[in-house]
């Protein structure tokens, strides 16, 4: 009877996950989607205490301890994560997602470890396929755990360096073979020693895979490890004969893979290129073709030009979020709207630290999502726009991506901000962008630089327009 | 590994295939403004691993298994709880312009 309840709630959870994810696919229903999946999760966790009705004889004397341990672990892990998740700043959410994802991978690896340890006790009648699947899940989960922790440290600014050396791919390849060898050993001779070595090598592999990848590529890596964790969970679901884990894990595995490919495509790179290339090295930049010179303009003048324009497109970048200026930007936009200017936001797919991160940052400041356009939707509108204002973005508006074949960002889809009649670029100084490439836009005749901290500049602009009205 | 439900590998392969298509279909129609919340949301969904970890811990017979099982439940619970909070916070911020009705 109880086992039927467990099975039914597992099925309900899987169904709610699919429905919830479907609803998350549209901004208007997205928040209901996460509620649905949340209900599914709670139901599944509560029902899993029903396993207690069917535990084998050997485990029965430990039931009280195990239940106490389970409740403590749920309270500690869940409580800590809930508390951290409530507090984390929106700018820091990508690394928090990385951390939570790594923990999921670690949990999958732990499930595999317990399953493999159970064999140590003697029950040897398990099929080879099941063992291989369990070990594979353990390997993938461990890579996801250690790799995600490295990704978190990089995004959080705790690990600045990228470690690269000659023959790195060969070394990583050997470590992968070593891990597979250790897995075979642990399966053939299940002892605590062989298991410990297997997991140590698997964790090492995750670290080695992630350290050479630069900070700019971390979103793609996090998304990849998200897919990894999903896959590991699905494989452990098979090991436990738990269809809810299999469905949820595989769904995340495929969705995460697709998301990873979409992100890589938005940066015009292949996944292999992200994982194995040396992108992000300081490039001896091809500054050939830089003609003209940079002009600078006062924030107040720029503000008044926008005030009397008909159409304005705002191109925000991560620099805006770093300066914590989203709310001030929206204040400026509202002033312009009151003055009758049509204002839109143009978001590059990789603006921010993850695709869509910029949308979240703007949403936090209260910007309605229907003012915000994706690159494909708005790129043709720049030609007929009076003013494009670029704030804290650089590489995503660099026309070199269209023209300069020698440039490392050549071929990357960009926002056509350079085609607006007047372009203003709000920027701290004359430095280069994340990719370390000279920006040809800054030298164009229709472009003027507004130097200064984004928040200070926007403040001055708001001030200028208010005084004008008064 | 010793549960009542004995699933043939063929059934498992079918299940994996259908689930993979479901995930693919749901994501492929998503506007890019939702990519970050969706990554976070799918991150929450694989927090279901906590159920597997509970299963493993309840079946633990040795100290080592209890320690690893405890870690698994704690990590899985953190994945689920953290994933939920972060996703919900992100999604709750998406609002349309005033005056427009939500569809």
């Amino acid at each position: 009877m109880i086992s039927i309840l467990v099975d039914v709630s597992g099925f309900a959870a899987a169904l709610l996950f699919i429905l919830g994810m479907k609803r998350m696919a549209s901004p208007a229903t997205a928040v209901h989607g996460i509620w649905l999946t949340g209900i599914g999760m709670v139901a599944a966790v509560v029902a899993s205490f029903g396993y207690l009705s069917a535990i084998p004889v050997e485990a029965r004397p430990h039931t009280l301890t195990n239940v106490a341990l389970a409740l403590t672990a749920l309270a500690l892990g869940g409580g800590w994560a809930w508390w951290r998740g409530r507090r984390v700043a929106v700018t820091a959410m990508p690394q928090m997602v990385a951390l939570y994802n790594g923990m999921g991978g670690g949990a999958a690896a732990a499930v595999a470890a317990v399953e493999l340890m159970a064999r140590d006790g003697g029950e040897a009648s398990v099929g080879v396929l099941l063992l291989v699947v369990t070990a594979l899940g353990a390997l993938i989960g461990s890579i996801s755990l250690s790799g995600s922790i490295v990704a978190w440290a990089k995004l959080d600014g705790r690990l600045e360096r990228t470690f690269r050396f000659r023959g790195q791919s060969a070394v990583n390849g050997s470590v992968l073979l070593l891990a597979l060898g250790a897995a075979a050993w642990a399966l053939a001779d299940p002892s605590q020693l062989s298991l410990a070595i297997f997991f140590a090598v698997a964790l090492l592999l995750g670290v080695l895979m992630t350290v050479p990848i630069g900070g700019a590529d971390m979103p793609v890596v996090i998304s990849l490890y998200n897919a990894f964790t999903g896959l590991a969970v699905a494989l452990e679901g098979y090991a436990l004969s738990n269809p809810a884990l299999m469905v949820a894990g595989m769904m995340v595995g495929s969705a995460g893979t697709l998301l990873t490919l979409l992100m890589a495509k938005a940066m015009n790179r292949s996944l292999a290129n992200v994982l194995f290339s040396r992108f992000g090295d300081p490039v001896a930049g091809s500054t050939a073709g830089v003609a003209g010179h940079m002009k600078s303009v006062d924030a107040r003048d720029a503000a008044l030009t926008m005030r009397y324009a008909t159409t304005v497109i705002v191109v925000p970048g991560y620099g805006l979020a770093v300066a914590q200026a989203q709310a001030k930007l929206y204040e400026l936009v509202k002033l312009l709207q009151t003055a009758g200017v049509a204002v839109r936001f143009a978001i590059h797919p990789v603006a921010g630290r993850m695709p869509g991160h910029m949308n979240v940052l703007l949403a936090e400041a209260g910007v309605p999502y229907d003012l915000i356009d994706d690159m494909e939707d708005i790129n043709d509108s720049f030609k007929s726009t009076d003013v494009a204002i670029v704030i804290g973005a650089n590489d995503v508006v660099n026309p070199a991506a269209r023209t300069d074949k020698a440039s490392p960002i050549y071929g990357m889809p960009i926002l056509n901000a350079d085609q607006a009649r007047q372009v203003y670029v709000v920027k701290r100084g004359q430095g280069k962008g994340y990719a370390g490439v000279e920006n040809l836009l800054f030298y164009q005749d229709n472009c003027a630089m507004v130097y200064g901290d984004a928040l200070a500049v926007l403040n001055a602009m708001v001030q200028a327009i208010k005084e004008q009205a008064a | 590994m010793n549960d009542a439900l004995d699933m043939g590998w063929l059934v498992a392969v079918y299940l994996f295939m259908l689930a993979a298509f479901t995930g693919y279909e749901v994501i492929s129609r998503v506007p890019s403004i939702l990519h970050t919340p969706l990554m976070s949301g799918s991150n929450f969904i694989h927090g279901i691993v906590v159920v597997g970890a509970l299963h493993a811990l309840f079946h633990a017979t040795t100290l080592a298994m209890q320690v690893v099982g405890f870690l698994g439940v704690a990590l899985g619970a953190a994945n689920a709880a953290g994933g939920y909070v972060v996703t919900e916070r992100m999604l709750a911020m998406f609002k349309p312009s005033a005056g427009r009705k939500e569809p």
Side-chain angles (χ1 to χ4, degrees), chain A residues 370-422:
Chain A
D370 43 9
L371 284 188
I372 301 173
D373 285 312
D374 286 349
M375 185 172 69
E376 309 89 71
D377 298 331
I378 205 168
N379 244 353
D380 291 333
S381 315
F382 278 105
K383 280 194 282 288
S384 53
T385 296
D386 296 327
V387 181
I389 175 163
V390 179
I391 307 173
N394 191 340
D395 296 325
V396 297
V397 291
N398 190 347
R402 281 200 296 260
T403 54
D404 183 3
K405 287 207 168 90
S407 171
I409 61 167
Y410 177 72
M412 181 173 92
I414 57 159
L415 286 164
N416 300 328
D418 56 316
Q419 295 173 351
R421 279 174 211 121
Q422 174 67 51

Side-chain angles (χ1 to χ4, degrees), chain A residues 141-374:
Chain A
S142 304
I143 292 175
S144 178
L145 169 62
S146 58
S148 295
I149 291 177
V150 174
W152 164 77
K154 286 204 176 199
L155 280 180
D156 214 36
R158 286 160 203 265
L159 182 67
E160 301 277 346
R161 274 196 57 196
T162 45
F163 299 86
R164 295 196 175 99
F165 50 85
R166 221 169 246 288
Q168 198 155 21
S169 299
V171 171
N172 289 359
S174 326
V175 177
L176 174 62
L177 288 179
L178 199 63
L180 292 175
W185 178 35
L187 292 185
D189 168 33
S191 65
Q192 289 197 2
L193 176 72
S194 62
L195 283 173
I197 290 182
F198 165 52
F199 279 102
V201 177
L203 290 170
L204 176 71
L205 182 59
V207 174
L208 287 176
M209 270 175 68
T210 322
V211 286
I213 304 171
D217 286 336
M218 274 309 133
V220 183
V221 175
I222 295 175
S223 177
L224 181 70
Y225 286 147
N226 186 36
F228 269 30
T229 303
L231 196 59
V233 171
L235 294 176
E236 296 316 323
Y238 178 68
L240 295 171
S241 298
N242 187 326
L245 259 68
M246 293 168 72
V247 169
M250 192 48 83
M251 209 168 79
V252 174
S254 83
T257 307
L258 179 63
L259 212 50
T260 311
L261 295 174
L262 286 177
M263 288 188 195
K265 200 173 134 208
M267 300 161 88
N268 193 41
R269 322 246 320 270
S270 72
L271 188 56
N273 190 250
V274 169
L275 293 178
F276 304 118
S277 85
R278 301 178 156 249
F279 189 82
D281 277 349
V283 210
S286 64
T287 43
V290 175
H293 60 282
M294 290 195 207
K295 297 173 291 294
S296 79
V297 66
D298 184 60
R300 310 175 57 82
D301 293 346
L304 293 182
T305 311
M306 287 193 281
R307 161 71 179 77
Y308 291 104
T310 318
T311 46
V312 169
I313 297 181
V314 184
V315 181
Y318 191 64
L320 176 74
V322 171
Q324 289 295 321
Q326 305 97 296
K328 192 48 86 174
L329 172 64
Y330 189 43
E331 191 185 338
L332 174 70
V333 168
K334 279 190 286 196
L335 279 174
L336 291 173
Q337 283 176 326
T338 324
V341 185
V343 188
R344 316 277 312 159
F345 288 84
I347 309 277
H348 191 271
V350 294
R353 282 291 174 267
M354 286 201 286
H357 190 198
M358 201 65 225
N359 305 78
V360 179
L361 293 166
L362 289 176
E364 189 194 19
V367 180
Y369 60 75
D370 43 9
L371 284 188
I372 301 173
D373 285 312
D374 286 349

Side-chain angles (χ1 to χ4, degrees), chain A residues 94-120:
Chain A
Q95 50 263 48
M96 238 21 236
V97 172
L99 197 58
Y100 294 143
N101 173 57
M103 293 176 151
V111 171
V114 173
E115 292 300 313
L116 293 173
M117 274 192 264
R119 295 182 62 234
D120 203 7

